[in-house]
Amino acid sequence: MRFEGPEGEGSLRLVLRSAAPDRFQLSAADTLGRALWALEVAGTGSLLVDHRRELFCTGAAEVRLPQAALAPLPLATLPEVLLGRLPVRPEDAVGGPGGDPGASAEPAAAELDFRDRAGRRWTARLEAGAPASWTLWEGGRPVLWWRRDGDGGILSQREGSQFRWRPVVREALAGGLERLEAPAEYAAGGCLERPQI
């Protein structure tokens, strides 16, 4: 993944391990392979381990991802974004796609415009039933938008951050997902400050 924004630019290597839609781990390392941070989401619980500052925190309310551009997205949606899917499902939207209470989801529709359960507006363009792009709106302005780029994606944020990625290896998760644990010498706290990337 390459990122650029107000805080600078650089590259990192992400590894996504997903056991179920609500149980996954995401870890980041620099280009030399040094661990930066690791995140585990399991149901409504989460753990973020900041290897650079030797800190950790638990609980979805306290965990903040290192990159500000991802802040509008719930933690549980990260695999969907990285895998090129919609972060929210139109069929779960308030009033269905387009806000019509009688509407039903049309996965092959070319254009979608709907509100999620939090009342936020989303638009998406589908090609062959798969997202080609999507946008999260706030107050009539785009806040976060994604578009497919080859087999990867580009995620942009209104404040000027942008992330570009492409998958290098995909393989089945063998043997289940080991629980993420913070090293014993790490201190609790500090997760409201963004970890260094």
Side-chain angles (χ1 to χ4, degrees):
M1 173 178 279
R2 289 210 37 83
F3 60 90
E4 55 186 63
E7 299 169 351
E9 60 182 64
S11 297
L12 42 98
R13 190 176 63 210
L14 292 178
V15 176
L16 170 64
R17 293 176 183 90
S18 181
D22 65 344
R23 186 162 189 318
F24 68 90
Q25 292 176 358
L26 188 60
S27 58
D30 65 17
T31 54
L32 298 175
R34 295 175 296 200
L36 299 173
W37 52 267
L39 168 71
E40 180 173 83
V41 173
T44 58
S46 57
L47 169 66
L48 178 67
V49 179
D50 181 346
H51 294 292
R52 288 271 175 105
R53 295 187 299 159
E54 298 187 351
L55 297 171
F56 72 92
C57 63
T58 59
E62 297 298 314
V63 171
R64 298 290 184 268
L65 287 175
Q67 289 74 26
L70 302 176
L73 296 173
L75 292 176
T77 65
L78 291 177
E80 303 301 312
V81 174
L82 292 171
L83 296 172
R85 301 175 187 147
L86 283 171
V88 293
R89 298 182 322 187
E91 60 268 24
D92 288 342
V94 175
D100 176 2
S104 62
E106 296 180 29
E111 303 286 335
L112 295 175
D113 190 337
F114 62 95
R115 293 195 179 273
D116 63 18
R117 295 199 179 278
R120 302 182 306 176
R121 180 179 175 224
W122 295 80
T123 56
R125 185 172 55 82
L126 306 180
E127 293 176 357
S133 64
W134 54 258
T135 303
L136 170 61
W137 301 81
E138 184 178 275
R141 295 176 58 198
V143 175
L144 198 62
W145 54 97
W146 170 89
R147 73 176 168 87
R148 185 171 304 283
D149 184 35
D151 57 353
I154 301 173
L155 182 68
S156 303
Q157 190 241 12
R158 180 169 59 196
E159 304 303 321
S161 298
Q162 187 174 76
F163 298 84
R164 297 173 177 265
W165 67 91
R166 63 179 178 81
V168 177
V169 175
R170 288 185 190 197
E171 55 189 41
L173 185 62
L177 195 58
E178 287 187 29
R179 189 167 170 246
L180 177 66
E181 293 187 15
E185 66 273 17
Y186 285 19
C191 291
L192 293 179
E193 303 170 35
R194 287 201 312 262
Q196 299 172 358
I197 55 175

